[in-house]
Amino acid sequence: MAQPLPQETFERPIILIGLMGCGKTTVGKALSKRTGLPLLDMDAVIEEQIGKSISEIFQEKGENHFRKLETALLQYLEKGTDPTSGAAIISTGGGVVLRPENRRIIRRLGFCVWLNVELSTLLARTSRGNNRPLLKTQDRRATMEKLLRERTPLYEETAHLRLDTTGLDINHVVCAVQQAARDFFASSRQG
Ligand code: S3P
């Protein structure tokens, strides 16, 4: 019988950032499986905490309230009391980089990877489902283009690594993130 691979011994999390549809959740799940590390999906944690879907939170309390919940969760994770504050995979919501405080916390918290992918892929992947309030617009392409333009510098500022994943298969992406994380944490240990 095949033996499970040993769990990675990173001391801090790998944090995935990028626009809606860039693959944070899919890559997060595959990375969690491959490394044996727990996955924390920030959107899912917030939905569970509040007992409402992201769409309902946006609708009832507004985007700004949701942004406050994201910051509160990051602050909690940074305190180090949650098991996920050690080695884990953290998948974020696409707008987590909007607040400067979030960008600072993410960089301190662990190894941050920006999954960057071309516009047509983002649009194709987000065409189904009804759970992304920011994409409920007349012209989804124009909305996504605007988000891409506004957020690209913020992802750049936050990430330790930018990975262009257009055309890459998931195994390739997962291996690249895992190896980059090993290198990052090894060089952090050396100071
Ligand atoms: C958002 C992205 C969503 C979710 C919310 C807002 C954004 O997460 O947090 O709808 O501002 O880009 P995903 O990137 O996982 O879709």
Side-chain angles (χ1 to χ4, degrees):
M1 204 168 66
Q3 292 296 312
L5 293 170
Q7 182 172 317
E8 287 281 1
T9 50
F10 302 143
E11 46 288 286
R12 290 187 290 142
I14 299 174
I15 303 136
L16 304 174
I17 63 169
L19 274 181
M20 293 174 272
C22 75
K24 299 177 297 273
T25 304
T26 311
V27 172
K29 280 183 188 159
L31 201 52
S32 162
K33 204 165 164 193
R34 188 178 169 89
T35 58
L37 300 175
L39 173 68
L40 184 145
D41 181 323
M42 285 187 59
D43 281 350
V45 170
I46 290 173
E47 287 184 324
E48 202 178 307
Q49 275 175 345
I50 306 298
K52 289 180 194 291
S53 69
I54 300 291
S55 284
E56 286 167 336
I57 299 172
F58 268 66
Q59 212 175 356
E60 292 171 20
K61 300 269 178 135
E63 180 176 346
N64 200 35
H65 181 75
F66 174 73
R67 299 299 170 207
K68 284 186 191 159
L69 297 174
E70 285 184 311
T71 302
L73 178 54
L74 284 173
Q75 286 169 336
Y76 169 74
L77 292 173
E78 201 189 15
K79 276 201 190 128
T81 42
D82 191 270
T84 320
S85 306
I89 312 298
I90 300 179
S91 145
T92 61
V96 78
V97 294
L98 289 172
R99 289 181 148 207
E101 186 180 5
N102 294 1
R103 302 200 289 276
R104 286 193 294 269
I105 295 176
I106 288 173
R107 270 193 81 89
R108 286 195 299 259
L109 193 59
F111 177 54
C112 177
V113 181
W114 168 24
L115 299 176
N116 188 43
V117 73
E118 67 184 6
L119 183 71
S120 58
T121 307
L122 296 174
L123 287 169
R125 289 196 191 141
T126 53
S127 63
R128 288 172 303 275
N130 205 21
N131 61 344
R132 289 188 168 108
L134 293 184
L135 294 181
K136 285 181 187 155
T137 60
Q138 294 275 8
D139 187 344
R140 269 184 348 102
R141 171 176 282 270
T143 305
M144 196 64 105
E145 271 171 350
K146 184 166 176 283
L147 292 175
L148 192 58
R149 220 175 24 251
E150 288 171 353
R151 293 181 181 179
T152 290
L154 307 180
Y155 293 132
E156 245 156 26
E157 180 189 320
T158 312
H160 297 102
L161 172 74
R162 166 187 166 152
L163 200 57
D164 290 307
T165 66
T166 304
L168 296 184
D169 84 272
I170 176 93
N171 287 328
H172 190 121
V173 175
V174 167
C175 287
V177 174
Q178 185 180 28
Q179 191 52 52
R182 283 180 180 148
D183 295 345
F184 176 85
F185 290 121
S187 69
S188 323
R189 263 176 239 128
Q190 281 156 17

